[in-house]
Amino acid sequence: MTLSRRRLLRYLLGAGTGAAGLAGGAAAANRLGWIPPDHGGLFGLGETLTYASHRLLLSGGAHAREFTRADISRSAPVNGNPPPGEDYGRLEAGGFADWRLRVDGLVARPASLSLDDLRHRFPRRSQITHLACEEGWSYIAEWTGVPLASVLAQVGVLPQARYVVVFSMDPEWWDSLDLAEAWHGQTLLADGMNGAALDTGHGAPLRLRVPRQLGYKSIKYLARLTLTDSLAPFGAGLGSVSPELGYSWYAGI
Amino acid sequence: MPLEAGGVRAAAPAVDPAHPLGVRVTHWLHTGLFVLLCVSGVAILLAHPRLYWGEVGNIETPSLVDLPLPTLLTGQSGWGRSLHFLSAWLFVFTGAGYVVPALRRGGIAAAAHYGWLQRRAYVGVVLGLAPAMVATGLAMSPALAAVWPWLVGGFGGQQSARTLHFAGACLLVLFAAGHVLMVWRAGFVRQMTAMTVGRPRRRVVAG
């Protein structure tokens, strides 16, 4: 072996500097809110490095690429089924006239919004963006609706809020967004797709669209948004149902 | 700084210097991480073993290649992707820990007994293919596509980046197979010993 004392000292010094850097970085990331809720466990280090580096790179508010009508895909495959139970069928049969989106939690003015409210009381936005499924396939479509930011501004987010928890009418599905993603101009509450009302397969009457993250973040069949300062009380406390099924909470990958 | 040894090293002594400790550690870390990247990469592919060219592709559009793999929609891609990214992060850190000191030492594949093709293969993998794998991997990220749209455009779209990432992985597996074959020919036990405990070894011409 040719490991001299001087070289050993150099390696130890390097390792020490690395460890100190890592500890300092972790403390800074925690203060900035760059630690994802699923940071524990075997893959937590990877999840945290990805989330923290993306939060840094996206801190300028970068916009997802938008395409032209000519780029819209002819096929937009559907994954999953509409919510189970009779309630969804009943609402659908009534043209979703009785459907409401509840917005509550850490807000100044909780709201219950109808489709009509969303179509007439808020600014509307259309965007043609890429949807990539975590499985590997993708399509481009036009989504129309209300920026989530407009609804957040209307209800008045309290300063201690850190996440928006998003509930589907399907009790199996829920997710959450950090406020950076929630306030982003392209994060949309979409009730229209490719020039028509959103259809059943794609999440009628209202779905979330988060074009800077994988498709599973774009929860369908919305029922309720809750502003919270902690994700611990929801499910297993990992921020969404995805980590409970083995998928990352942060889907910007 | 030259990437390869030129005339100076041609007059190297008959016994090469031992692999430095840093090279030996990063070599075995890379070996383990490469295996993890391959296994997790295949796990991700099993959710949709079809490759496309361009921006979009799905089950209702024509594919470029249908891989001879089963389609498993039973959640293999969840742990697969988490393991792939953790391994990729560690691979990049370890890679930096290898490349920077290697360049400072005077080159990648600087050993005097390396042939012309061998040197080019090593330098091409370390400075060409490995960074290309990182770039095509990042181009598949919807968040990073927002930050660096030119990266996705440069590869011809997100599905093209996915296809190129797979092609690059195939080349890396071929390279690894060739590397192991050459180590075998040059004396497996002696080479493994040299790469593990770093004892000076005899000069090998055929290697």
Side-chain angles (χ1 to χ4, degrees):
Chain A
M1 294 291 284
T2 55
L3 191 62
S4 69
R5 199 174 300 171
R6 211 170 123 198
R7 273 176 65 201
L8 182 66
L9 203 67
R10 226 174 59 202
Y11 285 128
L12 288 176
L13 203 68
T17 311
L22 212 62
N30 197 29
R31 225 180 12 256
L32 287 162
W34 286 356
I35 307 279
D38 55 346
H39 64 269
L42 193 58
F43 302 127
L45 174 66
E47 305 296 344
T48 306
L49 285 169
T50 301
Y51 181 58
S53 60
H54 282 212
R55 274 295 150 261
L56 177 66
L57 288 167
L58 293 166
S59 56
H63 274 60
R65 296 171 306 153
E66 297 201 16
F67 298 85
T68 67
R69 287 228 158 85
D71 298 317
I72 292 175
S73 306
R74 258 168 278 167
S75 58
V78 164
N79 242 7
N81 299 307
E86 293 169 14
D87 286 357
Y88 183 78
R90 195 169 39 76
L91 287 167
E92 190 182 28
F96 296 107
D98 293 333
W99 170 90
R100 295 291 181 276
L101 177 71
R102 283 192 291 143
V103 189
D104 54 25
L106 295 174
V107 297
R109 299 170 291 279
S112 178
L113 304 169
S114 68
L115 265 187
D116 228 34
D117 292 335
L118 288 165
R119 285 180 179 150
H120 300 111
R121 283 180 41 211
F122 291 91
R124 305 279 294 169
R125 177 182 164 83
S126 281
Q127 62 194 28
I128 301 169
T129 51
H130 188 263
L131 184 148
C133 177
E134 66 85 19
E135 290 167 4
W137 51 270
S138 61
Y139 64 84
I140 290 172
E142 181 177 41
W143 281 277
T144 305
V146 177
L148 175 57
S150 304
V151 172
L152 295 182
Q154 167 96 4
V155 296
V157 176
L158 298 181
Q160 63 268 40
R162 288 183 59 198
Y163 299 96
V164 184
V165 185
V166 182
F167 295 96
S168 167
M169 280 185 263
D170 185 338
E172 299 278 306
W173 282 105
W174 62 279
D175 212 309
S176 61
L177 301 176
D178 60 26
L179 284 189
E181 203 73 55
W183 281 108
H184 188 263
Q186 289 173 315
T187 300
L188 205 63
L189 297 168
D191 59 63
M193 180 177 170
N194 291 338
L198 199 62
D199 63 31
T200 306
H202 289 101
L206 191 74
R207 81 177 298 177
L208 189 65
R209 267 299 290 141
V210 188
R212 301 192 304 177
Q213 300 202 30
L214 289 176
Y216 66 79
K217 208 72 181 174
S218 293
I219 292 283
K220 298 175 183 176
Y221 315 108
L222 295 186
R224 180 179 161 218
L225 309 175
T226 298
L227 277 288
T228 181
D229 58 346
S230 166
L231 294 168
F234 302 95
L238 299 174
S240 69
V241 77
S242 308
E244 297 173 24
L245 302 172
Y247 295 84
S248 307
W249 169 77
Y250 176 64
I253 61 166
Chain B
M1 189 172 298
L3 297 179
E4 298 152 40
V8 179
R9 289 281 181 101
V15 175
D16 280 330
H19 292 302
L21 179 65
V23 169
R24 283 178 274 138
V25 169
T26 53
H27 174 269
W28 288 118
L29 283 173
H30 275 144
T31 307
L33 292 170
F34 182 67
V35 171
L36 291 179
L37 282 164
C38 289
V39 169
S40 55
V42 171
I44 296 168
L45 263 181
L46 291 180
H48 195 80
R50 279 160 64 90
L51 300 175
Y52 309 92
W53 196 256
E55 200 64 71
V56 296
N58 57 59
I59 202 70
E60 294 168 30
T61 66
S63 67
L64 186 69
V65 185
D66 280 13
L67 297 172
L69 290 170
T71 303
L72 284 181
L73 294 173
T74 50
Q76 303 309 313
S77 52
W79 69 263
R81 191 174 294 103
S82 293
L83 178 60
H84 204 67
F85 287 9
L86 177 61
S87 310
W89 273 112
L90 297 176
F91 198 95
V92 167
F93 289 141
T94 316
Y98 163 72
V99 169
V100 174
L103 290 179
R104 278 178 54 194
R105 257 196 321 274
I108 292 158
H113 58 76
Y114 281 10
W116 182 88
L117 183 66
Q118 203 176 2
R119 283 188 208 162
R120 262 141 201 84
Y122 280 89
V123 173
V125 163
V126 174
L127 298 183
L129 196 50
M133 290 303 284
V134 174
T136 48
L138 295 180
M140 280 187 269
S141 153
L144 298 182
V147 184
W148 302 313
W150 48 265
L151 184 66
V152 189
F155 290 123
Q158 284 196 286
Q159 290 293 346
S160 301
R162 180 172 177 259
T163 299
L164 290 169
H165 195 71
F166 178 78
C170 292
L171 289 178
L172 280 179
V173 169
L174 269 178
F175 168 80
H179 173 67
V180 171
L181 188 72
M182 291 175 88
V183 167
W184 187 268
R185 278 186 48 201
F188 192 70
V189 174
R190 191 175 59 239
Q191 296 277 36
M192 294 298 270
T193 309
M195 190 45 96
T196 308
V197 297
R199 267 205 305 269
R201 54 195 174 152
R202 295 181 65 77
R203 186 173 169 194
V204 179
V205 179

